[in-house]
Amino acid sequence: MKTTLRPIYLLLLLLWSAVAAAMSPQEAVDAFAQTPRLPSGSMAVIVSDLSRDKIIACYNATVPLIPASIMKSVSIAALSDATRPESLWLTQVSIEGKTDADGTLHGNLIIEGAGDPTVNSTVWPYSEDFVAEIVEALKEKGIKRIAGKIIIDESQFAGPSCPPSWAKGDLAQSYGTGSHAFNFRNNASGKRAEQNPSGVFNVALRGALSKGGISVGDELMKEGVRTPLFTHESAELREIMRSCMNRSDNLFAETFLRRFGKIKGGDGSTADAAAREMEYWKRQGAAMEGVKIIDGSGLSRSNRVTAMFMENILSHKKNDIDYVSYFPLAGQEGTLRKFLAGSPLDSYIALKTGSMNGIQCYAGYKLDDDFAPTHAVVVIVNDFRCDRAFLRSQIEKMLMNIFPNP
């Protein structure tokens, strides 16, 4: 057993077991759907037995609904299919031009953005300080003056940094900041979004170079021979994905979608990547009717998924140990820390949550004692007007009835 149950929950377990003994999974879902105060027409549930590839309970499984942040689990599933979990983001730094004997670089400093969302991140403290790395590399090269300017190449990602369907009120918030080919300090200042992370980086780098005794010009010099200076490496993709799922990080998820698009031959724009992801899941045999993928994070209210589509993704990834491990454990981690906490299902349910005004969603797995997935679980509720705590309690009750003996 993964957790020690408090005495009161031993009693609750007996009570729940007594109730569930006469209730099948489908009956448990039907009881949830008929709960007074819940919007029966705009919610969906599906539970499948992964060992038998069989749906054991469902309600409104083909109704398209707004997914909110469970969309992140879809973006991560696609990218983890397209590349290895140990993959890195590589940001190349080069110098352009000749360096004379007195340490003057008659050229420019080039930073090639690759989409890494963790550069000098305040929520991801596991990467090297990119600014300090540049200063140190230039010193080792003996460069004391850059006659040209700092150039930040953001050509890897085409299109706007934010989908046009994002609500205007979100764009100014740190959670609504756009994704760029070069991201810096979460593209935010406190709780406010930063529209020009490259500009913030330029100022920070110039300040650090000045303190390090290296001056920089302001005029672009004619191109010379480009020489690699060093390559900044991110942490492994699996760790960044795990962080994204636990904290529900929109910036991380948006860069996952864009990177997927680039791998599949696209231009790195959100729109192109979303279209390629739609086509990818169609080729994998997922139920696509009514599904609309607009972004990678779920911040757009124009996204639409069905419970069946989500189950198809979860079933498709059931044997990917890394992917399953990204989902927060109920009662233990991230956005699921308080959900089912202390209950018999504590640590036996792993779900990605999704919340917006009037929206509450869950998607993930029921686990066994070895943390292997036994069932896929999807709950999507739109347009609810009751208290969110009440809704969550009803979802917890349903899951306890479906899985009375974890």
Side-chain angles (χ1 to χ4, degrees):
M1 180 62 67
K2 300 172 187 174
T3 58
T4 301
L5 297 177
R6 303 186 186 102
I8 188 173
Y9 283 108
L10 293 176
L11 176 60
L12 285 175
L13 174 58
L14 294 174
L15 293 173
W16 280 117
S17 296
V19 173
M23 185 175 287
S24 69
Q26 185 61 56
E27 288 171 333
V29 170
D30 289 341
F32 169 72
Q34 295 164 14
T35 303
R37 298 168 58 195
L38 296 189
S40 59
S42 56
M43 62 186 195
V45 180
I46 195 165
V47 181
S48 66
D49 184 332
L50 296 174
S51 66
R52 296 185 293 160
D53 291 325
K54 181 178 179 180
I55 294 171
I56 62 172
C58 66
Y59 176 80
N60 280 351
T62 59
V63 174
L65 296 167
I66 301 172
S69 282
I70 63 171
M71 181 60 74
K72 293 179 175 67
S73 64
V74 178
S75 303
I76 289 175
L79 181 56
S80 62
D81 273 4
T83 190
R84 300 183 305 278
E86 66 271 19
S87 297
L88 311 175
W89 260 287
L90 304 176
T91 304
Q92 181 66 50
V93 180
S94 305
I95 54 176
E96 192 176 62
K98 295 181 179 180
T99 305
D100 62 23
D102 69 356
T104 298
L105 170 64
H106 294 279
N108 311 297
L109 177 68
I110 315 293
I111 292 91
E112 298 175 50
D116 184 356
T118 69
V119 176
N120 281 60
S121 173
T122 58
V123 298
W124 179 258
Y126 308 112
S127 296
E128 295 293 330
D129 181 345
F130 186 49
V131 172
E133 282 184 304
I134 294 174
V135 175
E136 185 61 28
L138 290 170
K139 284 184 176 181
E140 289 181 1
K141 200 74 172 178
I143 296 175
K144 299 177 181 178
R145 175 174 174 265
I146 299 173
K149 63 185 300 183
I150 298 169
I151 299 173
I152 302 170
D153 182 355
E154 297 200 68
S155 61
Q156 280 292 309
F157 288 172
S161 62
C162 301
S165 60
W166 281 11
K168 291 183 178 179
D170 291 335
L171 299 180
Q173 308 301 318
S174 58
Y175 64 80
T177 189
S179 63
H180 302 256
F182 184 79
N183 303 292
F184 186 66
R185 293 178 183 167
N186 313 107
N187 300 348
S189 177
K191 294 184 178 181
R192 307 298 292 177
E194 176 54 62
Q195 304 299 324
N196 183 21
S198 290
V200 175
F201 166 74
N202 199 320
V203 171
L205 179 56
R206 283 175 176 271
L209 289 171
S210 179
K211 289 182 179 179
I214 303 173
S215 62
V216 184
D218 290 311
E219 293 186 13
L220 180 66
M221 300 195 70
K222 292 182 178 180
E223 293 184 5
V225 177
R226 183 174 294 192
T227 305
L229 191 61
F230 75 96
T231 302
H232 173 82
E233 298 182 353
S234 73
E236 289 188 351
L237 186 59
R238 57 161 64 94
E239 297 304 325
I240 300 173
M241 287 179 166
R242 184 171 290 110
S243 176
C244 174
M245 289 282 275
N246 268 272
R247 296 181 301 99
S248 201
D249 192 298
N250 291 333
L251 171 60
F252 283 21
E254 292 302 322
T255 60
F256 296 155
L257 175 62
R258 286 180 176 240
R259 182 168 178 172
F260 173 82
K262 288 292 290 187
I263 290 173
K264 294 300 182 178
D267 61 10
S269 68
T270 301
D272 177 81
R276 290 174 186 275
E277 187 177 310
M278 286 278 291
E279 181 60 29
Y280 176 74
W281 290 124
K282 181 180 179 181
R283 292 199 305 271
Q284 300 308 308
M288 301 303 296
E289 187 173 356
V291 174
K292 295 180 181 179
I293 297 176
I294 304 299
D295 65 15
S297 64
L299 192 57
S300 173
R301 284 179 174 264
S302 296
N303 288 304
R304 292 292 184 276
V305 302
T306 64
M308 183 67 73
F309 168 76
M310 294 301 303
E311 189 281 335
N312 292 166
I313 304 304
L314 294 167
S315 180
H316 171 77
K317 298 294 289 182
K318 66 183 180 181
N319 295 320
D320 185 332
I321 297 173
D322 282 301
Y323 180 76
V324 174
S325 74
Y326 301 153
F327 290 79
L329 289 174
Q332 302 294 318
E333 299 176 311
T335 56
L336 219 64
R337 187 176 298 276
K338 296 181 180 180
F339 189 76
L340 291 167
S343 77
L345 286 177
D346 187 321
S347 302
Y348 285 93
I349 294 288
L351 301 171
K352 179 70 193 79
T353 61
S355 301
M356 287 179 167
N357 288 336
I359 297 172
Q360 185 64 58
C361 307
Y362 297 92
Y365 299 99
K366 157 70 174 57
L367 308 175
D368 64 17
D369 279 323
D370 296 319
F371 296 94
T374 62
H375 296 76
V377 177
V378 181
V379 183
I380 306 174
V381 182
N382 286 187
D383 303 324
F384 72 86
R385 297 183 180 182
C386 63
D387 181 74
R388 193 180 296 271
F390 171 76
L391 172 58
R392 287 172 176 163
S393 71
Q394 296 306 303
I395 295 173
E396 289 177 308
K397 178 181 177 181
M398 176 182 63
L399 292 175
M400 294 277 281
N401 285 332
I402 294 172
F403 305 112
N405 300 301

